Structure formats: structure tokens, C-alpha cells
Amino acid sequence: AIKSMYGYFVVNENNDERIYANSPHIWSLEHFDIILNETNGVNLVSSKGMFVCSDLRLNNLLIANRHKALEWESFIFEKQ
């Protein structure tokens, strides 16, 4: 599970493709797989089996609606 700095867990709930950090508990929809990719980034796969991406058409909103991981489904973790 992925926890936001405000204490809520990231979830891909209902039939919605959008990703929210609004869940106070870890249930099945709060589970994401993290896959290391060839560019030393990671791909996130929702509990529904869809890849997460940052959609430019939606002001960089995170959504889980991709069947395949391409460059824009890649994320990099950085230490602050």
C-alpha cells in the first residue's frame, strides 16, 4: 500500500480510473504492485491489473487505465 504524507492510503476504487489518497484503511483496492523497469524507474499496477499513468490531458492526474506500460507509465522515487 502507498500512504500519503497526510496519513491516507492511495486507492483505485469503484469503477473509476482515478487514483485517490483518501482511504483510512488498507483493503484490496489499496494494493499496488511496483515493477522495476528498464529505465531504473518503476511502473505501478493497480489491484485491478491496470498500469498507472500521469495523464497530461487531465492536468497530470494519476489514473489506472493502461493495459501496457510505456514511457509515461513510469515513475521515479526520489529521496527528499
Side-chain angles (χ1 to χ4, degrees):
I2 302 168
K3 192 174 189 179
S4 75
M5 64 181 276
Y6 298 110
Y8 290 99
F9 293 97
V10 175
V11 61
N12 179 214
E13 57 190 351
N14 303 322
N15 291 328
D16 197 347
E17 300 170 338
R18 297 176 185 204
I19 305 295
Y20 301 95
N22 64 359
S23 179
H25 305 288
I26 300 174
W27 302 103
S28 62
L29 295 177
E30 287 78 11
H31 287 263
F32 290 82
D33 289 328
I34 299 173
I35 301 170
L36 184 63
N37 62 33
E38 305 85 39
T39 61
N40 290 325
V42 296
N43 300 112
L44 302 175
V45 182
S46 75
S47 60
K48 299 175 185 178
M50 303 299 278
F51 287 92
V52 176
C53 76
S54 176
D55 196 316
L56 290 175
R57 295 172 297 175
L58 299 172
N59 293 323
N60 292 322
L61 180 72
L62 295 182
I63 56 174
N65 68 350
R66 305 295 204 254
H67 294 282
K68 185 176 173 183
L70 299 173
E71 185 177 334
W72 45 86
E73 286 82 28
S74 185
F75 296 88
I76 297 171
F77 291 106
E78 293 186 8
K79 185 177 179 179
Q80 290 187 322

